[in-house]
Amino acid sequence: MADDLDLANFRGAVRLTRTVQGVYAQGKFLGEESVECVRCLTQISQTLQSQVEQLYEFPPDPNADFVVSESGHIDLASFLREDMILSRPMRPLCKPDCKGICPLCGKNLNEGPCDCVKEDINPQMAVLKKLLGK
């Protein structure tokens, strides 16, 4: 569809209705995109969905964004690309309760706990801990 959008299993249906102003397109499209989980960095497949409801003007107006060309073609690609990109989740997750990766060793915590020794206190706050101990 575009350089910044790579979809697999792209499918959908569109209904075109002729109107006085041009052609009214209504439809629904689905596609799958391969992305990384933001917490554990594993590759996942997410489904993107687009709902098309757009009037394509005819005769073409030079100032209009969506027009029917002189050859009778309409271009859904630009509208679908934009709508699919907007339907992407801002923070894709492999599962809602993803545990992420260990910040020390980088192990995926969904596969089990790591062997890292975690300090209870930030070293920058050690001075405050000494004050609380007095």
Side-chain angles (χ1 to χ4, degrees):
M1 188 170 289
D3 291 341
D4 58 348
L5 183 63
D6 187 23
L7 297 176
N9 299 323
F10 183 73
R11 61 202 177 277
V14 65
R15 168 185 253 159
L16 302 174
T17 307
R18 185 171 183 224
T19 67
V20 176
Q21 296 87 9
V23 176
Y24 184 66
Q26 293 174 290
K28 186 183 273 189
F29 294 89
L30 297 168
E32 295 175 6
E33 181 180 40
S34 180
V35 295
E36 282 185 344
C37 174
V38 295
R39 291 187 190 160
C40 66
L41 305 177
T42 57
Q43 284 294 118
I44 57 172
S45 178
Q46 68 181 3
T47 301
L48 301 179
Q49 182 176 345
S50 177
Q51 187 92 19
V52 175
E53 291 184 17
Q54 185 63 49
L55 177 66
Y56 289 83
E57 294 183 20
F58 188 82
D61 179 5
N63 298 326
D65 291 332
F66 303 102
V67 296
V68 178
S69 69
E70 291 294 332
S71 63
H73 292 94
I74 61 173
D75 182 17
L76 293 171
S78 62
F79 180 81
L80 285 173
R81 177 198 160 271
E82 196 173 292
D83 203 47
M84 288 285 191
I85 288 174
L86 289 174
S87 72
R88 285 177 174 161
M90 292 181 75
R91 297 179 45 85
L93 295 173
C94 60
K95 55 186 179 179
D97 60 340
C98 177
K99 296 177 182 174
I101 58 174
C102 174
L104 300 174
C105 68
K107 181 180 179 185
N108 186 342
L109 298 176
N110 294 315
E111 299 168 355
C114 65
D115 297 327
C116 294
V117 178
K118 295 182 175 62
E119 295 182 22
D120 290 342
I121 190 162
N122 183 337
Q124 297 171 340
M125 301 293 181
V127 176
L128 293 176
K129 185 176 180 181
K130 289 178 187 176
L131 291 174
L132 290 174
K134 291 183 180 180

